[in-house]
Amino acid sequence: MTILSSRRLSGRTWIVTFDDNISVMVIIGRRYTILCDTHLGPDSMQEVTRFLASVPHPENLFIFNSHSDWDHIWGNCAFPDSIIASHTTCRKRMLERGEFDLSRQKARARGLVKIFLPNLTFDSRLCLDDDEIECMHAPGHTIDSSVCLDRSGNIIYVGDLVEDPIPYIDYDRIDVYIRTLKSLITSSAQVFVSAHSGIITRDLIRSNITYLNAVLTGKEVDTNSFGTYKTVHQANLNALTIFRYEALARETLGDAFSFETFWSAIPDPEGSDQKSLENFLNQYLHDIMTRKGFQ
């Protein structure tokens, strides 16, 4: 059994947590049954389907992808006839990196995964008024991050925007990330659901903001309390360096830029020190510019 637990948050909303401690959220609406994220593949979604069989629910499924990371979208392929909604940049990122992520992480797949793109996208927000559901763009963890608000219960699914003790940074605009988290604090939500940390509090959101502010301003971060997330801090610093060089590579190569080629060449972000990574990327960019005849 892959479902570790299912917890009822309101009369119509559940958090379903798998044995890897990744959670999805289920909302039983009037018109749709809304599923927030689809975990690691169709086998996981068979477990969700069995769970749904135990509660009355509309047969029409509405899938919400909080962002394009592989551990949130691989189960999309289990629902080929359903609406799958996401922000426009989520679909764009899946097109660019979906197969690459699958090739790198396929050992973690649960079932036969095919990359299945969202078939309904939104720019700012998407409302299912009959079901009292609101999906909103909330960039931060990634450029395409979005949240799903159950308005009837004031319950909000935040995907990977908030984690205990610190979040992963996969977007270079930390100022935007902080602004998004501040908006969560001032929102009407009473219950916050994180994909990797379960039920979270406003205090954790504030703690995440403090951490992001330290990274943004270049302050030294004490990682002693981070436990296994010590390597996440290093990965975050390295990611910001990589994004800077990725932007330069895209500018240099134009239409010839290949996401797969660039990221395949990058050393492990969690296992590299910043100086070595910077030296590698400097040489990588130098080689690109040399081939393009800029030097």
Side-chain angles (χ1 to χ4, degrees), residues 44-92:
S44 298
M45 294 303 96
Q46 284 184 5
E47 295 285 339
V48 171
T49 299
R50 281 194 279 272
F51 163 76
L52 286 173
S54 67
V55 296
H57 68 281
E59 291 185 3
N60 293 327
L61 276 177
F62 182 97
I63 311 301
F64 166 74
N65 287 159
S66 67
H67 60 299
S68 55
D69 284 358
W70 51 273
D71 53 336
H72 296 261
I73 56 96
W74 277 358
N76 285 3
C77 59
F79 308 108
D81 300 319
S82 297
I83 295 173
I84 301 176
S86 77
H87 189 257
T88 52
T89 51
C90 178
R91 179 183 170 91
K92 181 179 178 181

Side-chain angles (χ1 to χ4, degrees), residues 25 45 135 158 172 209 211 219 232 248:
M25 194 167 87
M45 294 303 96
C135 306
V158 302
D172 59 356
I209 291 173
Y211 168 75
K219 292 181 180 177
V232 174
L248 291 170

Side-chain angles (χ1 to χ4, degrees), residues 184-203:
L184 290 178
I185 289 175
T186 58
S187 72
S188 63
Q190 298 300 309
V191 179
F192 299 86
V193 178
S194 160
H196 292 276
S197 299
I199 306 300
I200 58 168
T201 65
R202 280 183 165 81
D203 282 344

Side-chain angles (χ1 to χ4, degrees), residues 27-252:
I27 308 163
I28 309 301
R30 297 185 185 92
R31 183 179 179 188
Y32 291 106
T33 297
I34 296 93
L35 172 62
C36 300
D37 286 340
T38 60
H39 199 236
L40 289 167
D43 287 0
S44 298
M45 294 303 96
Q46 284 184 5
E47 295 285 339
V48 171
T49 299
R50 281 194 279 272
F51 163 76
L52 286 173
S54 67
V55 296
H57 68 281
E59 291 185 3
N60 293 327
L61 276 177
F62 182 97
I63 311 301
F64 166 74
N65 287 159
S66 67
H67 60 299
S68 55
D69 284 358
W70 51 273
D71 53 336
H72 296 261
I73 56 96
W74 277 358
N76 285 3
C77 59
F79 308 108
D81 300 319
S82 297
I83 295 173
I84 301 176
S86 77
H87 189 257
T88 52
T89 51
C90 178
R91 179 183 170 91
K92 181 179 178 181
R93 286 184 92 223
M94 286 171 65
L95 277 167
E96 181 175 61
R97 65 180 296 161
E99 294 296 340
F100 172 74
D101 286 342
L102 181 56
S103 67
R104 279 200 153 186
Q105 303 290 344
K106 60 184 177 182
R108 309 241 344 234
R110 300 199 176 182
L112 181 61
V113 172
K114 294 182 180 180
I115 301 301
F116 207 88
L117 301 173
N119 49 35
L120 176 65
T121 60
F122 58 92
D123 291 323
S124 176
R125 68 183 61 220
L126 173 69
C127 295
L128 303 177
D129 287 328
D130 289 347
D131 294 311
E132 297 185 83
I133 296 294
E134 191 169 355
C135 306
M136 296 166 283
H137 187 213
H141 164 64
T142 57
I143 190 174
D144 59 322
S145 292
S146 298
V147 298
C148 181
L149 173 66
D150 169 10
R151 292 195 302 223
S152 76
N154 280 326
I155 301 167
I156 192 166
Y157 179 79
V158 302
D160 286 358
L161 282 168
V162 184
E163 285 198 46
D164 186 10
I166 60 172
Y168 280 85
I169 299 172
D170 201 11
Y171 180 40
D172 59 356
R173 290 293 305 275
I174 300 179
D175 57 325
V176 173
Y177 197 167
I178 292 170
R179 189 159 64 241
T180 289
L181 294 190
K182 286 181 176 179
S183 73
L184 290 178
I185 289 175
T186 58
S187 72
S188 63
Q190 298 300 309
V191 179
F192 299 86
V193 178
S194 160
H196 292 276
S197 299
I199 306 300
I200 58 168
T201 65
R202 280 183 165 81
D203 282 344
L204 179 60
I205 300 174
R206 293 186 185 98
S207 176
N208 277 200
I209 291 173
T210 299
Y211 168 75
L212 291 169
N213 266 317
V215 173
L216 179 63
T217 57
K219 292 181 180 177
E220 186 174 349
V221 174
D222 182 1
T223 62
N224 288 325
S225 63
F226 291 172
T228 58
Y229 272 62
K230 267 189 177 183
T231 57
V232 174
H233 174 59
Q234 187 60 57
N236 286 340
L237 298 179
N238 289 346
L240 293 171
T241 300
I242 295 168
F243 295 151
R244 181 157 45 88
Y245 280 90
E246 181 185 6
L248 291 170
R250 286 180 184 271
E251 181 181 354
T252 301

